[in-house]
Amino acid sequence: MRQAKFEVKNRKIGANTFYVRAFPPLQGLKLYGDLQKAITAALKGGLTSNGETEDMKEALLGAQINVGAILAQLGESFNGEVLAQFSERLLDAEYVSVKIKGEEEAIMLTEDVINELFTGKLVELLKLEKFIIEVNFGDFFALIPNLSGVREMLVSK
């Protein structure tokens, strides 16, 4: 049986260097679908249509964007329980390792290591999760347009 070779990407976050390789395709698709569902539900909750249309581009162009409603829906979609579940799925020790500052070798990012490195440093943890999403799904966040510029982006295409 042939063994697939996956590129390992690394990034320094805080004082440590993290190494991430992509999830297998089916595992990645499940995670991507769940992330997409949570985010698009929030976006949909913040759009108020100005009429009936079947065309998505036309509907978005004619919509009133309620950023407050989107943020509120994101808060509902990503409550603490859901955020912890996504984090557990993203921080899979089989695919994420870390070279701790001053150490010679990288180690698997187990729950104990996560607790050691990120207690009181949740922003660094979120930066790592964003990096894991980038490695697995390209620039996932570029797919989510800046809400203040969504109309201009759609009009220019």
Side-chain angles (χ1 to χ4, degrees):
M1 182 163 106
R2 289 180 7 165
Q3 189 70 16
K5 295 186 181 185
F6 299 102
E7 179 183 358
V8 176
K9 296 185 179 180
N10 66 75
R11 180 169 295 165
K12 186 172 182 176
I13 299 172
N16 307 303
T17 303
F18 294 87
Y19 301 89
V20 176
R21 65 185 173 95
F23 300 134
L26 297 179
Q27 181 179 346
L29 282 173
K30 288 177 187 175
L31 181 59
Y32 181 81
D34 292 344
L35 283 168
Q36 182 179 301
K37 179 180 177 184
I39 290 172
T40 56
L43 292 175
K44 183 179 176 187
L47 297 176
T48 305
S49 179
N50 289 338
E52 305 269 334
T53 181
E54 303 261 332
D55 181 35
M56 183 60 145
K57 181 176 176 181
E58 194 177 311
L60 285 171
L61 288 172
Q64 297 295 317
I65 299 170
N66 183 334
V67 175
I70 290 171
L71 293 175
Q73 187 60 45
L74 272 173
E76 272 187 44
S77 297
F78 286 97
N79 63 35
E81 183 69 27
V82 171
L83 194 54
Q85 289 172 357
F86 276 121
S87 293
E88 288 172 3
R89 291 170 68 186
L90 287 168
L91 301 168
D92 188 327
E94 294 293 318
Y95 303 96
V96 184
S97 57
V98 60
K99 183 176 174 188
I100 298 173
K101 181 181 179 179
E103 297 292 327
E104 294 295 318
E105 294 185 25
I107 58 173
M108 293 174 73
L109 192 69
T110 63
E111 186 174 349
D112 288 339
V113 175
I114 291 168
N115 290 335
E116 176 187 336
L117 297 178
F118 296 110
T119 297
K121 298 178 183 177
L122 291 179
V123 171
E124 286 186 13
L125 179 63
L126 293 172
K127 287 179 183 179
L128 174 58
E129 291 179 3
K130 181 178 184 286
F131 176 51
I132 295 166
I133 289 171
E134 288 171 5
V135 168
N136 281 280
F137 311 119
D139 197 358
F140 177 80
F141 295 101
L143 300 175
I144 304 167
N146 178 333
L147 295 176
S148 63
V150 72
R151 288 182 189 208
E152 289 75 16
M153 180 193 75
L154 291 171
V155 169
S156 67
K157 288 190 176 190

